[in-house]
Structures are given as C-alpha cells and as structure tokens.
Amino acid sequence: MADTLAIMKMSPVIPVVTIHSVDDAVAMARDMYDGGLKTIEITQRTQVALEAVRAIAQAVPDLCLGVGTVWTAAQAHEALDAGAQFIVSPGIADEVGAVCRDADLPYLPGAQTVSEVAHLVRQGWQQIKLFPASVIGGPSAIKAYAAVFPDVRFCPTGGITEQSAPDYLKLPSIPCVGGSWLATPATGDEPAGQSPTRAAAERAARLGR
Ligand code: 3PG
C-alpha cells in the first residue's frame, strides 16, 4: 500500500467530490482518472457516499480512492470496509488517526493553525491537509508554516481554484492541493465531445508541472 506522501505525489490535485448520485460519481471518477488524475477524495457528507466509494472502487480500480470528512472511528471503519485506500479529515480527529494507524491505512489529518499542525506532528503525522487554505492566508501563510515545520508536507484545500493552484504548487512543502472545482458544470470552453470534468482533470493534471 502506498504511503500518504506517495499518494500526495501521484497528482498535483486531489479532487474533493461530494456525491449526490452513484452513477454520476462513477462517471466523474472515470473522467478524472482518464484525464490524468490518479487520486480522488469522496467526502462522507451524503447518504450515498459509501455506496459510491464501493462502486468507484470496482469500476475504476486503478484510481487511488480516499474518503474525506471523516471525524469518527466508526466512519473510518465504514470507509475502510467500503474500499478506501486513504482517509482524510478536515481537522484534528485523533480517533480516526488511531484507526488508520492500526489498519496501516494512509491518513491525511487536517489542521488550520500552527498549534494544530504542532499537535498532529506530535502524534507522528508529517503529511497534513491545511483547511481552509485560502482563509488562513493562502500560499504566503503556508510558506510561513513550512519554515516552522520543514519536514511537513501540506495538502492545502478550501477556496483553491484552477487559477490559484499554481501559486500553492510552487512551494516545495506542497506536493498537491485539494479542491472541488473539478466537479463544476461546463463552461463551453471544453473540446467538443469531452466532458467538462475530463477537460478540467486534464488541465489539473498539468498544473505545477
Ligand atoms: C474539503 O472538504 O476539502 C472542501 O470542501 C473543499 O474545499 P473547496 O470546495 O473550497 O475546494
């Protein structure tokens, strides 16, 4: 199983997807993978999220499939049973970390403040989701965080767009960003016959490269 840092390095963007329809989710995941993105985070915020995780794991088996917005040990076990290959929390959730440690499952815990990052580092986590990244001050804030935690690698998420992502990805402490912008409706700029998600994924896969 890949470790968390290896997962962060798979693609410059981890799409964060909130699912409302299992069929749409499978199609979207396939488009993202075919567009060049190797990871995805499905948020555990809707009733159909875990059903979608099971369906995506079967339909797009090479996609590295994460489950996010995981706050409790019970949710972590459910995500693992559904086929999650990594778990994400938008903030501190030590009981989720304990489940991941026991299961040897890659984990990306979340922090907003320097003290929260310090707490996670004390727990042994060196790869951290910074959320909401745009609110804490964007790339310049993360540059300051990285000076204090030189060994930590951050996945900033929250308020990041296709336009702002390159400024984050320039920083050596940021192997990837997270964002929900890939699951947005068509703009009309996509090549003919191509789904907007696939076109957005192709552009995202090239960001920072
Ligand atoms: C998350 O769960 O990481 C966020 O909802 C993603 O934030 P965004 O929608 O601003 O990209």
Side-chain angles (χ1 to χ4, degrees), residues 59-204:
V60 198
D62 293 332
L63 184 62
C64 185
L65 182 54
V67 174
T69 325
V70 177
W71 288 117
T72 67
Q75 287 177 319
H77 283 296
E78 285 169 3
L80 185 54
D81 290 348
Q85 291 167 265
F86 68 101
I87 300 282
V88 185
S89 301
I92 288 173
D94 287 340
E95 66 181 61
V96 175
V99 171
C100 293
R101 216 186 290 278
D102 285 351
D104 200 20
L105 187 67
Y107 180 46
L108 195 57
Q112 182 181 9
T113 66
V114 168
S115 297
E116 289 166 5
V117 174
H119 171 89
L120 293 173
V121 169
R122 283 195 298 273
Q123 305 289 313
W125 307 110
Q126 295 285 339
Q127 291 85 38
I128 293 173
K129 168 169 173 158
L130 272 186
F131 178 79
S134 61
V135 174
I136 67 172
S140 55
I142 298 170
K143 202 170 169 187
Y145 282 37
V148 183
F149 302 104
D151 297 328
V152 173
R153 293 295 171 267
F154 298 106
C155 175
T157 308
I160 299 178
T161 64
E162 189 173 326
Q163 289 68 36
S164 65
D167 290 336
Y168 289 89
L169 291 165
K170 271 183 207 149
L171 300 179
S173 60
I174 300 180
C176 67
V177 301
S180 64
W181 81 82
L182 287 111
T184 50
T187 63
D189 293 335
E190 299 81 18
Q194 206 175 70
S195 83
T197 300
R198 172 148 178 177
E202 285 184 4
R203 293 193 303 273

